[in-house]
């Protein structure tokens, strides 16, 4: 029991004595009603006074504040402050619902369905939240299934114990099992992101680079429609498209994809460096050596040393050495 809660309990007893007499026992109905009302006022004042007013403008804010307020709702329910818990849960759900964060929406609707029973019975709201709870429970099961597939595929790609073509076939096998899920949850960024990455990566392992670019572009348009579409995921897809153009030795298409990828990399140092590396690779592989040189000329080496690990710095030096070799052999004017 915190000092502030002990002080509240003393105040509660003093007010009951003043209103109903010193001999009023704690079991008195008036005493219990007063205590319940005071507790709700106290907790409400605590929440308003101690917590920053939550914002839900972005997916990340909704994710962070949704989980924080969900924890507060659990705390209030533990303290039997059900009316206040219900109010906060309803307000939070209204704010976070559009982002389709499955774990938060499932927990809030489950709680709200239960809190509209008993002393706080409301049949219409119970039916509403119970149906939503069932829907998000199914979505949570599907999310778990997709997450398991995604982790397994990531393990296969990192281990690389299988030939690339086999890894590509496994990706197709996984995606065929998720066809219904992929169509059913078009606005659920968590599910869509994992399936898009598996699809695109599978294409790249099979050597289907133009198809991988198409999957990436379609995937980006899908994530654009998701309120929770992640900027970092779109960056990964954009960088992968450039990688595909490098493997295709397609300079003009590669330049266009670099242009499209730039907005996704501007505010992330490591992505910016990746674009410079890809520009150098694209220029060298397609014999556009001046293009590679101009990319290298934009390099901030202090940023590279601050951002990259020692191994990745060494890899970047290899790109620099390649361009310098081209300069020495007069392939670059």
């Amino acid at each position: 029991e915190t000092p502030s809660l002990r002080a509240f309990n003393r105040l509660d007893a003093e007010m009951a004595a003043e209103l109903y007499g010193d001999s009023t026992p704690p079991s008195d109905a008036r005493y219990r009603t007063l205590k319940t009302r005071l507790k709700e006022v106290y907790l409400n004042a605590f929440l308003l006074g101690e917590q920053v007013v939550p914002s839900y403008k972005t997916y990340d804010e909704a994710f962070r504040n949704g989980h924080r307020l969900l924890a507060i709702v659990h705390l209030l329910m533990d303290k039997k402050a059900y009316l206040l818990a219900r109010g906060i849960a309803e307000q939070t759900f209204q704010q976070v619902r559009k982002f389709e964060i499955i774990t938060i929406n499932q927990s809030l609707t489950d709680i709200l369905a239960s809190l509209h029973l008993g002393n706080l019975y409301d049949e219409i709201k119970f039916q509403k939240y119970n149906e939503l709870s069932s829907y998000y429970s199914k979505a949570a099961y599907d999310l778990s299934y997709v997450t398991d597939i995604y982790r397994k595929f990531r393990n296969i790609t990192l281990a690389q114990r299988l030939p690339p073509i086999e890894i590509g076939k496994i990706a197709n096998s996984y995606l065929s099992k998720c066809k219904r899920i992929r169509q059913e949850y078009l606005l659920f960024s968590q599910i869509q992101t994992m399936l898009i990455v598996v699809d695109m990566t599978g294409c790249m392992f099979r050597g289907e680079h133009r198809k991988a670019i198409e999957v990436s572009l379609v995937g980006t348009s899908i994530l654009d429609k998701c309120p929770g579409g992640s900027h970092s995921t779109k960056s990964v897809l954009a960088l992968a498209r450039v990688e595909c153009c490098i493997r295709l030795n397609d300079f003009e298409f590669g330049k266009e994809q670099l242009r499209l990828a730039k907005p996704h990399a501007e505010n992330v140092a490591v992505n910016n460096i990746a674009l410079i590396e890809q520009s150098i690779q694209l220029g060298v592989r397609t014999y556009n050596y001046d293009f590679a040189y101009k990319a290298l000329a934009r390099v901030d080496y202090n940023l590279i040393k601050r951002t990259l690990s020692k191994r990745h710095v060494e890899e970047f030096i290899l790109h620099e050495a390649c361009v310098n070799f081209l300069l020495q052999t007069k392939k670059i004017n």
Side-chain angles (χ1 to χ4, degrees):
E1 196 176 54
T2 64
S4 57
L5 193 54
R6 284 197 297 272
F8 159 72
N9 285 331
R10 284 198 303 272
L11 177 64
D12 171 44
E14 289 169 8
M15 290 181 70
E18 187 172 335
L19 286 170
Y20 309 122
D22 293 335
S23 60
T24 306
S27 58
D28 187 280
R30 295 169 302 170
Y31 183 95
R32 291 202 305 272
T33 300
L34 175 66
K35 187 168 185 177
T36 299
R37 288 177 180 171
L38 281 174
K39 182 167 31 175
E40 289 181 359
V41 169
Y42 168 80
L43 289 168
N44 205 16
F46 169 77
L47 291 171
L48 291 174
E50 298 293 329
Q51 306 293 336
V52 176
V53 177
S55 172
Y56 302 94
K57 292 179 181 177
T58 66
Y59 179 89
D60 289 341
E61 287 178 336
F63 187 90
R64 183 171 57 253
N65 289 318
H67 276 294
R68 180 170 67 82
L69 287 166
L70 178 59
I72 289 172
V73 168
H74 280 296
L75 174 65
L76 291 172
M77 290 174 66
D78 185 55
K79 297 292 183 184
K80 298 186 174 15
Y82 298 121
L83 189 60
L84 188 56
R86 188 178 72 176
I88 293 173
E90 283 189 305
Q91 186 180 38
T92 304
F93 180 63
Q94 287 170 8
Q95 295 290 344
V96 303
R97 181 179 182 180
K98 68 177 182 179
F99 292 99
E100 298 294 20
I101 306 169
I102 295 172
T103 51
I104 297 178
N105 287 358
Q106 195 278 325
S107 296
L108 287 172
T109 52
D110 177 62
I111 288 168
L112 285 166
S114 298
L115 288 178
H116 281 96
L117 295 172
N119 293 334
L120 304 175
Y121 181 59
D122 185 322
E123 183 179 5
I124 294 174
K125 286 194 173 182
F126 163 73
Q127 293 290 356
K128 170 188 171 181
Y129 288 117
N130 197 51
E131 286 177 12
L132 285 168
S133 177
S134 297
Y135 173 70
Y136 284 115
S137 293
K138 180 175 175 293
Y141 176 84
D142 289 337
L143 173 64
S144 177
Y145 182 78
V146 171
T147 302
D148 179 60
I149 277 179
Y150 178 74
R151 282 198 297 250
K152 287 177 179 176
F153 184 69
R154 285 277 294 155
N155 178 59
I156 291 169
T157 58
L158 291 171
Q160 291 195 17
R161 295 192 182 95
L162 297 172
I165 193 69
E166 289 300 317
I167 296 176
K169 287 179 181 177
I170 290 170
N172 265 346
S173 171
Y174 284 160
L175 289 167
S176 66
K177 295 174 183 176
C178 298
K179 195 174 289 185
R180 173 193 62 81
I181 296 174
R182 199 171 189 178
Q183 291 300 315
E184 192 169 334
Y185 301 103
L186 287 173
L187 296 179
F188 288 66
S189 60
Q190 290 170 291
I191 288 174
Q192 290 298 329
T193 294
M194 288 186 282
L195 293 177
I196 291 164
V197 171
V198 170
D199 194 356
M200 181 190 68
T201 309
C203 291
M204 292 174 74
F205 271 101
R206 293 192 301 273
E208 300 168 0
H209 299 303
R210 292 202 181 275
K211 186 178 177 183
I213 292 169
E214 182 184 336
V215 168
S216 174
L217 289 169
V218 171
T220 299
S221 67
I222 289 171
L223 293 177
D224 283 339
K225 294 171 186 172
C226 295
S230 166
H231 181 80
S232 60
T233 301
K234 294 173 191 174
S235 299
V236 169
L237 297 179
L239 293 171
R241 290 197 297 273
V242 179
E243 177 65 27
C244 289
C245 291
I246 292 169
R247 296 186 187 185
L248 289 166
N249 294 325
D250 191 329
F251 180 65
E252 292 301 327
F253 195 28
K255 274 207 308 183
E256 175 63 12
Q257 294 310 313
L258 282 166
R259 185 186 66 78
L260 293 173
K262 192 174 180 181
H264 296 292
E266 282 177 336
N267 299 321
V268 184
V270 69
N271 287 348
N272 240 323
I273 295 168
L275 276 185
I276 293 171
E277 287 186 288
Q278 289 182 325
S279 298
I280 295 170
Q281 291 173 357
L282 179 67
V284 170
R285 284 181 59 124
T286 59
Y287 309 107
N288 290 278
Y289 300 137
D290 286 346
F291 183 82
Y293 175 74
K294 288 174 183 176
L296 183 67
R298 300 198 306 268
V299 170
D300 178 349
Y301 281 95
N302 289 326
L303 177 65
I304 285 177
K305 289 174 183 176
R306 286 198 312 270
T307 307
L308 302 182
S309 66
K310 185 178 178 181
R311 181 173 69 83
H312 287 100
V313 169
E314 289 173 353
E315 287 179 3
F316 198 91
I317 290 171
L318 290 175
H319 294 305
E320 181 188 28
C322 179
V323 174
N324 281 325
F325 174 77
L326 292 168
L327 280 165
Q328 292 297 320
T329 56
K330 303 193 185 304
K331 297 290 185 181
I332 298 172
N333 184 354

